[in-house]
Amino acid sequence: MAHSARRDSPELPDLSLLKRLVRDQLIYLLEQLPGKKDLFIDSDLMSPLDRIANVSTLKQHEVDKLYKVEHKPIVSISDQICFLIRPRIQTVKWICDVVNADKAVGKFRRYKIIFTPQKFYACEAVLEEQGVFGDVTTDEWAFYLLPLDEDIISLELPEFFRDNFLAGDQRWVRTAGSALHLLHSLFGPFSKVYGIGRCSKMTYESWREQVEQGEQKARHAEIGNVFLIDRDVDFVTPLCSQVVYEGLVDDIFRIKCGCVEFGPEVTSSDKSIKVMLNSQDKVFNEIRNEHFSNVFGFLSQKARNLQTAYDKRRGMDIQQMKTFVSEELKGLKQEHRLLSLHISASESIMKKKTKQDFQELLKTEHCLLEGFEIRECISFIEEHINRQISMIESLRLLCLLSVTENGLLPKDFKSLKAQYLQSYGADHLLTFSNLRQLGLLVEQQPGETLTVMESKVGKLVNDRAAVKLTDAFSSLAKKSHFRALSKKLNLIPKSEEDYDLRVPRDMAYIFSGAYIPLSCKIIEQVLERDGWTGLEEVTRLINGHEFAVTGADPKSKSDARRIILVMFLGGCTFSEISALRFLGKEKGYKFIVVTTAITNSSRLLEALLDNNI
Amino acid sequence: MSTHLHLVLVVLHGVQHVDQLVEQSQNRDGIDWTLTKLLQVEGSRTRGLLLALRVQVQVQVRGICGDHQVLVLMRLGGHHIDGGTSGPDNWTRTQNQNRLTATGLTSAAPQRVKLSLSTLSLELSLSTTPRGEGVVTMETGQEREPVSANEVIWKENGSFPPIVFELELQSPEENRPARLCYRTPASSCGSVLVRRQNRLLCADPDLIILLSMAFITANWNPLGDAFYRKTELYEMFWSLRDGLRDSLVAAAPYGGPIALLREPLRRSPSTRPQLEIYSASGVSIASFPVRTRVQHTTCPRVTSLFPSPVLPVFQWKSGPVVHLGWSVNDELLCVQEDGTVLIYDLFGSFKRHFSMGQEVVQSQVLEAKVFHSPYGTGVAIVTGSSRFTLATNIEDLKLRRLPEVPGLQGWPSCWAVLTQDRQTKVLVSSGPELYVLDNTSCTAVYPPGLSPQAGSIVHMSVSFSYKYLALFTETGRLWTGLSNLQERLSEVDTKQAATPKQMVWCRRPRSQQPSVVLMWDRLLLVVGSCNDSIQFPLEDQSVLVGELDGVRVIGSSSQELLQEVPLVCQDIFKIASMAPGALLLEAHREYEKSSQKADEYLREIKEQNVLGDAVRQCVEAAAHEYDPDTQKALMRAASFGKCFLTEFSPDQFVTTCRELRVLNAVRESSVGMPLTHTQYPALMTLQVLIDRLVYRQFYPLAIEVCRYLKIPDYQGVSRVLKHWASCKVQQKDLTDEAIARAVCAKVGDSPGVSYSDIAAKAYECGRPELAIKLLDFEARSGEQVPLLLKMKRSQLALSKAVESGDTDLVYTVVTYLKNDMNRGDFFMTLRNQPVALSLYRQFCKLQEPQTLKDLFNQDDDHQELGNFYVTSSYRDKRLEGRLAQLQSAVDEYNKAKNDFAAKVKVSPVHQVCPPGVDGL
């Protein structure tokens, strides 16, 4: 890949600043409650917190014991309790129960709830309703952004996707706006902001509002352009199997906050170990963006290099040996350890993928993307369902089929749905209802009942409301125009056969040359055109809400203009990040990806399952 | 000639030790030389004044017209030279007492006479030279006898320039009128303009300073070590037919407004007492008749006889008013005979009322007092049954009935309210006894050191700070001491038998010589603790208002401020002062005249290394002066001195300049807030000052002040605009449209002005349409929501909340609507707002599943209802319950025409399938 890269890539801004800021704020908040205290942490805040402040830091600030929020009666004996939670009603209700239980037995404690990244009125309302509002103090920890790597920032809000796109609950929009505002105040001012999608538009507006309210400081911009994109603009990409190394690792081992836990089958011992996966890991850094087929070759080459390096010590005199041991050996050892880990991880991946007829699966996906041999694909899916290979995988294929084909024929829809329910349980009826609402799995309907309903409702209410209703409905049951988009944007490369994955031509390499991710393609096109002109047809198909706004500061240095912040609202996949890295190298950009959470097909669909109420 | 004149002046200026002067000058020839030598010998420096010297000087002036003696005797209003050499005793050694001999000065005489300028307090005596050539001559009268105005008469004839003044001097001994003329040439430098009888203009370059300086000290009266001055604040705008006679007058401190109730005790049914409110300069703010209940019950026809536009407002209330007072918030309190206290605002509109207790209705209020304490404004009354009732803070009314005073029947001879030790007490004199009343007890007290023969106390007064107390006894003795009655300061025999009409403390922070001002019908007496006193004749009925740093004397035609001259002003202006500030002022004066003496003075200051002090003194003195010309002269001097300093912080100078400009602006008689520089920071912070201006509706001035002082917009201009707009929306005679346009045009998008606040005001005034119009200008939709809710425009509120994108706000509105509307309407409202609906659904899913069901029911959303039943079936622990739920789900799916789902559900396998177990 390296040969095609432009050498003049700009330097990325130092994102670790974000970490320092939130760490200081957390410490400040903890010190607001002086004395020994027990800290209860929301389970999904554990890993992000670990990246900000480790246990010893917490202990230094008089945190006595750490507990995970488990929605059970607590056993803590401390008389000061601090809760570090996401602003969720269930958790707040649980805290109310804890407080009320203490009250019932006459135990007096001090309670402090730290909401992160912000508190919601609904949470306070619950506190009030349960009669504990006066007993607890609340605070906000503005932990909006967690830098996962030098070019990835995550909001760590997986529920953003479901709340915003499925339930139509816009409370996180402001959070996203605040996060953007934080970046703007640290690395801005931004000279140009592009965006597509309803949520992006609202986020942009929320951010603008905050900028106008706050005071402006003239500073040197480190990030020039910003691109906001909704997840529902492109559902196809996250539904595809990932074949880039990092994506694969995420699909199989699940990377959590930039950290993966390799089980015994990888470590070839009886313990599992946690490994940080980021650019610090030299081996990983070189293979993370590679197509999986290249990884083995690369790893063996690396192994050979290592061996040579080790071999150097033969024939060394004492002095040379001494420098070797003191300078190189440690690095080599480290590299060796990582290399062996990644090799065994790759082996493990190979094992899994071959077992499940991975090639077949990929072929089906590619057929779906291209729109060939749909019948055979359906049979494959049926078989997949009936063999109960994986509940999520089957669902993924169903969704992919529906999204690419713009809905299933009623006959297919019924039969596939029935088979699925029989295989995986009738409770998925609710899941199907969710998927339908999101437009991920829909039935092609001859007469659009929806429009009928729309017009009916439209007559009832006034025009302004009707516009909003239509808006709302269209977001509820969005039609996919993947086929048309694919043609318009050339998402499917023509000559798949002779695609050399070792020397990728375009971003399609991340899907073995079969498909250029739609989201990344849009970004590429907009940056190339410096706006949406010429893409009118595309935006119409995506259902609009696109915007491009030129900011205040045109004289920012050219380097900053080539650093582009891409904000995925609703999550993005590692494949997309790899694609953007590739695009950056090609065009001399540097991308910084901000996402509400790192997602993949499993996470996306799990968020939509409805059996977890 | 001018040399001669100069000689005389400077000789007099420089004199402190006259003996030395005589010695030195006797040995010398030549005038100029004598002067220089004099200075050196004195070791002192020349400075402005000579007039206050009581000097007898004999000078040998040989260089002019042969050997002649010059003897000058001057006396000006009883001024002394400072230091130990002052006083008449020191001068007895000099010869030819009371005799001025001037030789060869015939032609210079007219100029010299200009020294004698203050008509009220200056007595200039000149005796003729032996040759008696045209020089004004006069023997002095008795020492220290106050000189009345008609002994020295100035007549201004003709316009300036030139001016001619005529002075007629009556010599008491020789009984020979002396006429003195002075003619000035056309003025070449500034002028001092006389506005009233004891000021005049002089435009002679040589003498101008002398004159203006004379005027500054002209109204100074010595009291012990200190001086008291009476400055005129305003010529009152009002024209009162009967003066202040028979009126109840209340004037608020800190230059507050004046309320005037004419003839409060007249109860004839045909006339009503008239209540009027004026600014401190007498500009009428409001005026309205007060109806009494007596009239209302006995003579109902009165209403038709005396129609008045404001009448209906006041019809229901008002017995005879006993006392008027102002609260700290510029509200007028009217205490009525029946114990009701009515509160009006500055513009006379009724705000509220409260009662001082039921028992008062029968016993009636005899006397009342409104007082200010750290807790706010309080009211104290004494009833016909001789009981005291207190309310410490009218904002937070708690009535306290104080214990009975033993032996007190009817009116107490005098009483006062004290605030000490965070307690409010009443000090009452009953016959020969003095009692302190607090919440629980009545204690007899004895002022320490009060002579036993003094008799009973007939008048008492507490100082502005509640720290000092003055008692006036029936024998005319004035006792002063601490208000806790622990220490006596002094006891003075005023030799006045009558009870004073008013008695007020006159002090200032860091007072050297605090005093008590007593007022009788024709006399104002200032009594200091040093047994010294000053008397002022009073022309008409006046009212004293105690201030933080003095006493305001409000008469029917003018208003004056009586105060102790601040130390720094004394230092600068006192006759023969050697203070650095005085020298600097002199230096600057010389500089203005392009005289090289400026440099000499400056050098003298610099030699002592006190230039910084000099500048500071001038700036400080300027702050205390009331007359802008004097302020200017001092500030210019300070600015001049500042040029010669390298490391001098200009802060004080700049701040004082700014503050003085603001103070001068608000002192303007059209505004009428005679604030002194001491009062300004004490209570009146800048914010308060602006608030007061705004409250009096001086919006343009308030904005000017804010801009001038560069107050941040959101604290300054915006706040004023907000008030202006709030006031504007109350204008009944304008249409909604016009007001909205006017407000928008003025307010624009000034930062910090919230249209929603203005709209809230409009709504309060009963103009909801205007409120909505104004709300449209509000940029932040979040701000519009609370008011819209208050105005019951819930639909609009909801859509604005949704527009704002703030889900917390949406949720607030939803919660409000939920409680406020019936369910059906509530759900209908939500249906039109998908964002709110989904938010509410999310909440219900977790908190109120039943509501969620109702919500779906309302929408006929059978699909969702089906889903809902399925979900809840998983929660049901019992099999039957679960089946029932599922059956409902089937029904709903059928209704939703979702056959597929309905059929799935009948499959028995899944009906009993426990949650969490996927397909079998």
Side-chain angles (χ1 to χ4, degrees), chain A residues 301-501:
Chain A
Q301 178 62 42
K302 189 84 189 166
R304 270 199 294 281
N305 290 352
L306 261 185
Q307 196 53 52
T308 338
Y310 273 122
D311 287 348
K312 270 205 295 190
R313 65 200 152 147
R314 280 187 208 144
M316 278 182 187
D317 57 24
I318 296 294
Q319 193 55 44
Q320 282 168 323
M321 189 67 96
K322 204 172 159 193
T323 39
F324 175 79
V325 169
S326 62
E327 279 162 22
E328 285 174 61
L329 192 60
K330 198 168 165 234
L332 286 175
K333 276 257 163 70
Q334 168 83 357
E335 219 164 305
H336 185 222
R337 195 180 65 84
L338 289 169
L339 187 63
S340 64
L341 254 179
H342 285 296
I343 288 173
S344 40
S346 308
E347 273 171 2
S348 168
I349 291 168
M350 282 299 278
K351 234 182 271 167
K352 280 199 182 133
K353 288 304 176 194
T354 45
K355 191 176 84 186
Q356 285 163 13
D357 247 342
F358 192 52
Q359 288 309 320
E360 197 72 8
L361 186 76
L362 279 183
K363 209 185 126 218
T364 310
E365 275 179 31
H366 292 173
C367 288
L368 286 174
L369 289 168
E370 282 171 65
F372 291 145
E373 299 168 340
I374 295 302
R375 278 289 117 209
E376 275 140 57
C377 291
I378 292 177
S379 330
F380 178 82
I381 295 168
E382 277 176 343
E383 192 190 331
H384 198 277
I385 292 170
N386 291 330
R387 282 170 60 194
Q388 295 183 5
I389 293 172
S390 155
M391 183 256 284
I392 290 289
E393 283 283 280
S394 306
L395 205 54
R396 176 171 75 85
L397 290 171
L398 279 177
C399 292
L400 196 58
L401 174 68
S402 164
V403 172
T404 51
E405 288 298 302
N406 194 12
L408 295 138
L409 293 171
K411 183 169 66 76
D412 294 337
F413 183 72
K414 278 208 180 108
S415 99
L416 285 169
K417 194 166 160 188
Q419 290 178 46
Y420 189 88
L421 290 178
Q422 280 160 9
S423 281
Y424 297 114
D427 46 344
H428 285 292
L429 198 63
L430 301 179
T431 311
F432 277 105
S433 153
N434 286 344
L435 291 172
R436 202 183 77 98
Q437 209 174 356
L438 210 55
L440 272 175
L441 186 54
V442 291
E443 191 176 0
Q444 281 176 4
Q445 280 169 344
E448 285 289 351
T449 46
L450 205 65
T451 14
V452 179
M453 193 167 144
E454 259 175 61
S455 59
K456 216 163 46 187
V457 176
K459 269 174 216 145
L460 289 174
V461 292
N462 59 26
D463 288 348
R464 204 165 163 201
V467 173
K468 277 190 191 139
L469 265 188
T470 331
D471 238 24
F473 275 114
S474 56
S475 77
L476 287 181
K478 192 182 284 175
K479 282 183 288 182
S480 163
H481 299 281
F482 179 72
R483 204 61 69 209
L485 280 170
S486 157
K487 211 170 282 164
K488 261 255 123 22
L489 290 169
N490 280 329
L491 294 181
I492 314 291
K494 297 233 165 44
S495 45
E496 196 197 327
E497 294 310 313
D498 37 277
Y499 198 95
D500 186 358
L501 291 170

Side-chain angles (χ1 to χ4, degrees), chain A residues 89-90 93 118-122 125-126 129-130 162-163 167-172 174 198 202 209 213 388 391 414 417-418 421-430 433 436-437 457 460-461 464-465 468-469 472 610-611 613, chain B residues 780-781 796 799-800 802-809 811-812 815 818 831-835 838-839 841-843 845-848 863-864 866-868 870-871 874-875 893 898 900-902 904-905 910 915-920:
Chain A
I89 289 174
Q90 303 100 299
K93 254 174 103 175
Q118 67 189 98
K119 62 183 164 202
F120 288 128
Y121 177 76
V126 170
E129 231 167 69
Q130 305 282 325
R162 186 186 161 108
D163 283 350
D169 175 350
Q170 298 166 350
R171 61 187 164 167
W172 294 114
R174 205 174 166 76
R198 199 170 129 81
M202 290 172 68
E209 208 172 279
Q213 278 168 18
Q388 295 183 5
M391 183 256 284
K414 278 208 180 108
K417 194 166 160 188
L421 290 178
Q422 280 160 9
S423 281
Y424 297 114
D427 46 344
H428 285 292
L429 198 63
L430 301 179
S433 153
R436 202 183 77 98
Q437 209 174 356
V457 176
L460 289 174
V461 292
R464 204 165 163 201
K468 277 190 191 139
L469 265 188
D610 227 340
N611 55 359
I613 311 172
Chain B
R780 296 156 297 166
S781 39
L796 199 54
S799 55
K800 291 281 184 194
V802 170
E803 252 173 56
S804 81
D806 182 348
T807 47
D808 279 0
L809 200 63
Y811 191 77
T812 317
T815 322
K818 193 172 106 187
R831 258 178 80 164
N832 297 337
Q833 293 290 353
V835 174
S838 48
L839 198 72
R841 272 188 188 165
Q842 285 280 87
F843 180 73
K845 229 178 236 175
L846 298 160
Q847 283 289 75
E848 301 171 15
Q863 173 68 35
E864 282 292 344
N867 290 350
F868 172 77
V870 173
T871 313
Y874 280 101
R875 287 211 203 96
Y893 283 134
N898 186 344
F900 181 81
V904 171
K905 283 293 125 186
H910 297 298
V917 177
D918 291 345
L920 294 166

